[in-house]
Amino acid sequence: MKLQRTIFIAIIIGLFSSTLYAQEAQSDYEIQQTFKEQYADYEQQVENVSAPDSAEKLIKSIKQFDQNYSEHKELLDKALYPDTYEEQMESLKKSSVRTLNKVETITQQQKQLKKLENQLATYEQDLNQLDQQTDSLKTAIRQSAKNEKELSNMVREYRQNLEKRDELILTFIDSMVVTYQNMDLDALQEIEDYDKASRIKTNDALKLIHDISEENIQILKRNASKLQVDDYMRMAEVNHQFQAMWSRLGDKIHEVYEGNNADMLAENINGNLTEWNNLLQTNTVDAMKDYFAQQGIETNAFESADEFNKALHSYLDRKIKESRDNRSEENYSDLQQFKEFWNRVEVQWTSNLAQANVLSQDQTSKLNQKVDEWTQIAQPRSNNILVYLLGGSVLLAVALGVMLIREKKTNGSA
Amino acid sequence: MKSFIQVITVISVVAAVLLTGCKQSMVISKVDYSQSIESVLQPDDDGTVTDPQHGITFNIKPIQYAETQDTSSVTTNQVRYIRGQEGYYYITAPDYKNVYVMAPEKGKLVLKETLKVTDNGITKPAFNQRMTHIQLLNRSTGEVWKVTAEDIKKKESQMAQREVN
């Protein structure tokens, strides 16, 4: 009985082994065919993989594939001639690692975009809030019948609101730059082509950029009389950063955020930026007029940036000539007044004036030469005469003293 | 004068012998014709198979006739062949009972040997190139034969398994 059982088990094992053996029987032709098919399949998978996890699994699977076929290396070298097995496996492994890196980058980019979306929502909310406050203040200022002090406080608060708004825009620009500057648009496009669901279906960034540019134009249009040179210089900086962001990243922002009106928004932004520049230039020149009037700097009238530059040259030429012809206290006082303005230009506003297209850095530099020239010759003559008189008096006193001592000595000896 | 003619004759004979020696064709020995992996080809309606990789085209019908005594139509959809070290072609097809060893000659393949495999034929045959011989494999059963230009021998199962692997 026991013997029968042993024979029965042996037969079963034998049958099982032969079946297994038969399944494993593979010709060289089949080995190379299967290898080629699997290789092509892996190439396809490498092409299509869209998530880092899948890419990592694929890399492991390729390693296993290599282990499975490395024993047939010699055969496959012949089958793959002029390529070799090693070359093909190396190429597959490299492209799988490249894909993993690419997919990781894309995932990172998508995370950044998601994060930006949340940030944008906050920015939008804050900006709206600030705009509402600013509008309310503006209305209050317009309708106010309060005394001058209260009105002045409201205007100050209004200007502070605009300053906060500009800070918020700069933060928004930073967020946009951080998210978009290293974005690999081609890789993003590639993955989107494969997996349409991964595309971010929102227009928030483009819309927000559009709205900011639109609102800034409105602010510049509405507030020409309430703002000062300082405000416009800050706005020039914001405008410059905003334009730099748009010219560097506009295409990517446009590309990444799809929507029916994306093209229209992008076109409007370009138009708005031109208008924003023009208004900024005009308002800055107007604010300069007010500033000069307040400071008592009497230049020729100017209505444009070009006329402003000419007026400054003409003013400086006139003052330099005055100094040469007749150095006076009045001229010197004008210089001090002008230098107060010019120091702010040199220290704070040079780049802002250039950004606002009011004075280029070259123009500022040429004006600066004239300011230096005026400074050198504007010292009032009266001051010098006093010094000379004082010096002469001292010399005379010394000479008289010496003569007196000599005379005393002569009389004594006589 | 006679001796002069004799000298001329001797010189002519020697020159002729030397020139004949120079005309001998060049021989390259130890040529290995072996094809590393068998070719699996599909015959067209006329029975012609073409292997662009190895640059050969031939018609399967004479072999089919030898196998089935029928050439009215092409009865197989697959022809498998491999070339051995000496240059012979080993040809068979699914369900064929024989392996046909063909010698290449100018514009033709000449039957050198018909090697009987089984009475019932092999359903899934395959050739493998091995160091000293060609291996015939029955992929359905794992059976293995050692094939040379003159002979075919079935391998014992353990040896066969080692050889296949």
Side-chain angles (χ1 to χ4, degrees):
Chain A
M1 185 67 187
K2 198 176 178 183
L3 183 68
Q4 277 180 331
R5 182 180 284 179
T6 312
I7 291 168
F8 178 73
I9 290 168
I11 288 169
I12 294 293
I13 291 171
L15 279 172
F16 179 74
S17 316
S18 68
T19 314
L20 194 69
Y21 171 61
Q23 280 173 348
E24 283 174 356
Q26 217 183 7
S27 72
D28 293 351
Y29 175 80
E30 280 176 312
I31 290 168
Q32 57 105 21
Q33 281 295 101
T34 318
F35 174 81
K36 283 178 180 173
E37 281 164 16
Q38 287 187 14
Y39 189 90
D41 185 48
Y42 275 118
E43 278 186 318
Q44 195 60 43
Q45 286 186 54
V46 167
E47 190 80 11
N48 293 342
V49 73
S50 64
D53 289 353
S54 315
E56 277 169 10
K57 278 181 191 161
L58 186 60
I59 286 173
K60 278 183 191 165
S61 178
I62 288 169
K63 276 182 189 164
Q64 188 58 49
F65 173 58
D66 182 21
Q67 280 173 8
N68 292 346
Y69 278 92
S70 57
E71 64 177 307
H72 303 296
K73 183 180 164 304
E74 272 181 45
L75 172 74
L76 291 169
D77 279 347
K78 287 172 188 165
L80 299 170
Y81 183 82
D83 283 349
T84 65
Y85 173 79
E86 291 284 353
E87 281 170 2
Q88 288 227 335
M89 284 313 299
E90 198 60 28
S91 160
L92 187 63
K93 283 176 183 173
K94 274 183 183 167
S95 51
S96 65
V97 171
R98 259 200 313 275
T99 301
L100 172 65
N101 292 339
K102 186 176 78 181
V103 171
E104 277 178 343
T105 308
I106 289 163
T107 310
Q108 188 62 30
Q109 285 178 359
Q110 284 175 334
K111 276 183 190 166
Q112 278 186 333
L113 283 172
K114 286 280 176 201
K115 190 179 159 193
L116 180 71
E117 267 193 85
N118 296 332
Q119 285 175 337
L120 289 185
T122 315
Y123 294 148
E124 199 166 14
Q125 199 181 346
D126 292 351
L127 273 173
N128 285 338
Q129 206 176 336
L130 273 171
D131 285 343
Q132 276 172 13
Q133 282 175 12
T134 314
D135 286 348
S136 311
L137 272 169
K138 178 73 187 167
T139 313
I141 291 166
R142 200 168 48 237
Q143 293 170 351
S144 176
K146 292 176 183 171
N147 64 43
E148 200 172 319
K149 195 183 172 193
E150 283 176 335
L151 198 63
S152 164
N153 286 340
M154 283 169 82
V155 169
R156 195 173 61 247
E157 201 182 334
Y158 173 73
R159 287 177 60 208
Q160 281 170 351
N161 261 13
L162 286 182
E163 198 175 337
K164 279 185 199 166
R165 187 178 183 280
D166 283 345
E167 278 171 17
L168 196 61
I169 292 171
L170 287 174
T171 317
F172 161 74
I173 291 168
D174 284 347
S175 304
M176 294 296 287
V177 170
V178 165
T179 309
Y180 282 93
Q181 67 182 349
N182 293 323
M183 189 174 284
D184 183 349
L185 204 60
D186 290 341
L188 199 65
Q189 187 62 49
E190 221 173 278
I191 205 77
E192 282 170 6
D193 288 345
Y194 175 67
D195 178 12
K196 295 284 180 198
S198 71
R199 184 161 199 131
I200 291 171
K201 296 196 181 298
T202 172
N203 239 352
D204 283 356
L206 197 62
K207 179 81 169 55
L208 194 53
I209 290 170
H210 175 267
D211 291 352
I212 289 171
S213 64
E214 193 95 2
E215 184 59 27
N216 276 21
I217 288 170
Q218 294 311 315
I219 287 170
L220 287 170
K221 276 183 180 168
R222 284 195 306 247
N223 304 298
S225 60
K226 292 287 175 290
L227 301 178
Q228 298 174 6
V229 178
D230 277 323
D231 298 316
Y232 289 117
M233 293 297 95
R234 191 190 64 245
M235 286 177 175
E237 176 65 24
V238 173
N239 168 281
H240 173 71
Q241 299 287 349
F242 197 89
Q243 285 204 81
M245 173 201 70
W246 180 245
S247 70
R248 265 178 68 197
L249 308 170
D251 288 345
K252 282 185 179 179
I253 295 165
H254 183 189
E255 177 62 33
V256 168
Y257 291 86
E258 67 171 10
N260 295 334
N261 59 347
D263 289 343
M264 190 194 77
L265 287 174
E267 208 174 306
N268 284 353
I269 291 167
N270 289 327
N272 286 348
L273 285 174
T274 309
E275 197 177 351
W276 186 356
N277 282 338
N278 293 340
L279 279 169
L280 189 62
Q281 187 192 45
T282 314
N283 288 11
T284 307
V285 170
D286 286 345
M288 279 295 177
K289 271 198 292 196
D290 295 343
Y291 180 82
F292 279 11
Q294 280 167 17
Q295 300 295 313
I297 301 171
E298 292 170 354
T299 60
N300 293 342
F302 54 85
E303 294 298 332
S304 66
D306 193 39
E307 284 178 12
F308 174 61
N309 182 39
K310 281 180 184 162
L312 285 173
H313 273 285
S314 155
Y315 176 80
L316 289 168
D317 288 342
R318 184 156 43 88
K319 290 294 171 186
I320 289 168
K321 189 171 183 303
E322 265 178 34
S323 293
R324 283 192 201 287
D325 294 348
N326 178 27
R327 272 177 277 184
S328 65
E329 286 290 342
E330 195 190 339
N331 182 282
Y332 189 68
S333 166
D334 286 347
L335 173 68
Q336 299 304 321
Q337 196 72 41
F338 189 83
K339 280 197 86 174
E340 227 175 86
F341 157 70
W342 196 249
N343 284 342
R344 296 202 70 187
V345 171
E346 275 195 303
V347 177
Q348 290 176 275
W349 295 343
T350 305
S351 55
N352 298 139
L353 284 168
Q355 286 157 359
N357 294 315
V358 174
L359 276 182
S360 70
Q361 299 212 349
D362 190 40
Q363 286 172 327
T364 308
S365 167
K366 280 179 182 159
L367 286 166
N368 198 40
Q369 286 173 7
K370 288 192 174 172
V371 176
D372 285 347
E373 191 183 345
W374 185 16
T375 309
Q376 279 171 13
I377 58 172
Q379 199 73 15
R381 189 165 292 173
S382 53
N383 291 350
N384 293 340
I385 289 167
L386 273 174
V387 172
Y388 295 145
L389 279 175
L390 191 68
S393 308
V394 170
L395 278 173
L396 192 65
V398 170
L400 283 171
V402 169
M403 282 172 71
L404 200 65
I405 292 163
R406 274 188 182 175
E407 197 154 324
K408 273 185 180 176
K409 279 183 180 173
T410 314
N411 291 340
S413 62
Chain B
M1 185 63 187
K2 199 175 178 180
S3 62
F4 176 72
I5 290 168
Q6 282 174 341
V7 169
I8 292 295
T9 308
V10 169
I11 288 169
S12 302
V13 169
V14 170
V17 168
L18 285 172
L19 284 172
T20 310
C22 288
K23 273 178 116 181
Q24 274 182 341
S25 60
M26 181 170 60
V27 174
I28 300 172
S29 54
K30 293 183 182 173
V31 176
D32 183 354
Y33 288 100
S34 63
Q35 182 180 320
S36 55
I37 293 165
E38 68 174 333
S39 294
V40 180
L41 308 169
Q42 188 174 3
D44 65 11
D45 292 343
D46 299 328
T48 305
V49 287
T50 305
D51 183 0
Q53 195 183 349
H54 297 99
I56 186 171
T57 299
F58 61 90
N59 197 291
I60 191 66
K61 276 186 176 171
I63 294 174
Q64 183 183 306
Y65 183 77
E67 189 72 21
T68 62
Q69 284 75 52
D70 176 19
T71 52
S72 56
S73 65
V74 179
T75 54
T76 184
N77 61 0
Q78 191 184 78
V79 174
R80 302 178 88 103
Y81 87 86
I82 195 165
R83 199 171 187 193
Q85 278 183 359
E86 315 95 317
Y88 297 119
Y89 288 92
Y90 298 79
I91 305 172
T92 194
D95 298 320
Y96 276 23
K97 302 176 187 73
N98 303 296
V99 169
Y100 296 89
V101 184
M102 310 294 292
E105 284 188 13
K106 194 174 180 181
K108 56 191 172 186
L109 289 171
V110 177
L111 180 68
K112 183 182 184 304
E113 208 71 55
T114 303
L115 303 172
K116 178 132 187 182
V117 186
T118 62
D119 290 335
N120 299 322
I122 303 177
T123 329
K124 287 185 172 179
F127 289 119
N128 291 329
Q129 186 70 247
R130 294 293 175 256
M131 293 294 281
T132 55
H133 60 278
I134 299 296
Q135 181 189 71
L136 175 68
L137 170 71
N138 183 345
R139 288 177 291 139
S140 306
T141 61
E143 291 170 295
V144 166
W145 288 263
K146 179 182 176 179
V147 186
T148 62
E150 295 81 20
D151 196 16
I152 183 164
K153 277 182 188 163
K154 191 173 180 183
K155 290 262 184 180
E156 291 304 317
S157 61
Q158 280 186 343
M159 279 174 69
Q161 191 172 14
R162 269 204 302 276
E163 200 166 297
V164 169
N165 294 332

